[in-house]
Amino acid sequence: MPPRRFILAFFALLFSGWTAPLWAQTPIFYTGGDSAINGYDTVAYFTDGEPVEGRADIVVMWKGVIWRFASQAHREAFEADPRAYAPQYGGYCAYGVSLGYRDSTEPEAWHINRGKLYLVRTPYVRSLWKRDMAEYIARADANWPAVLAE
């Protein structure tokens, strides 16, 4: 097959429905209980600058997980753009994902970098992670979502 035809066939296959499952997100979020982020309000990290426990009566189901919020306004903000507020790597420890494994997180061990929320196992692990955050994020991006299968 001449190079031009090969290229056209490649792009036709690439944009066909056959490859869609390869690109489909399989979002699995660490819950640490009955809800994402151990029941903490993911929007509060951005608006309040600190972890705030969500309320059991202000919730939304997204990607198969219950998300709790401290206020109706936070719930509405999340519903308008959940990907803007959801933690990276499904809420698993960003440092752990950078090393190729899943690990639990503490809501108090967090950091926002370039508008994205990262959770880690403990405040001590956060101090390790922040020493070379750009490198760990690059490694975690490369490892995610393959670590879900392990």
Side-chain angles (χ1 to χ4, degrees):
M1 182 181 297
R4 183 173 179 220
R5 281 189 168 164
F6 177 77
I7 292 170
L8 290 173
F10 171 77
F11 280 108
L13 181 62
L14 187 66
F15 293 109
S16 72
W18 182 81
T19 58
L22 298 175
W23 288 350
Q25 283 186 318
T26 310
I28 297 177
F29 290 93
Y30 172 73
T31 58
D34 69 341
S35 57
I37 315 177
N38 297 312
Y40 278 71
D41 181 341
T42 189
V43 176
Y45 289 99
F46 295 90
T47 60
D48 299 4
E50 63 183 355
V52 176
E53 286 191 61
R55 294 175 31 183
D57 62 331
I58 305 176
V59 300
V60 67
M61 177 71 80
W62 182 67
K63 300 291 186 182
V65 178
I66 296 170
W67 298 79
R68 294 181 183 217
F69 303 94
S71 70
Q72 188 64 32
H74 285 190
R75 177 186 175 195
E76 290 169 4
F78 182 83
E79 286 182 304
D81 191 2
R83 285 182 176 82
Y85 296 105
Q88 300 302 294
Y89 319 120
Y92 290 97
C93 176
Y95 183 76
V97 173
S98 75
L99 299 176
Y101 64 90
R102 288 176 293 170
D103 203 355
S104 61
T105 58
E106 289 182 13
E108 295 81 16
W110 62 281
H111 185 76
I112 294 176
N113 182 53
R114 297 183 181 206
K116 295 180 180 181
L117 174 62
Y118 297 90
L119 300 173
V120 292
R121 183 167 177 77
T122 65
Y124 173 73
V125 171
R126 179 181 56 199
S127 69
L128 296 175
W129 181 74
K130 287 174 75 173
R131 288 181 188 168
D132 197 2
M133 189 181 341
E135 177 64 24
Y136 290 127
I137 289 172
R139 287 181 189 177
D141 286 348
N143 290 338
W144 187 257
V147 296
L148 291 174
E150 297 176 4

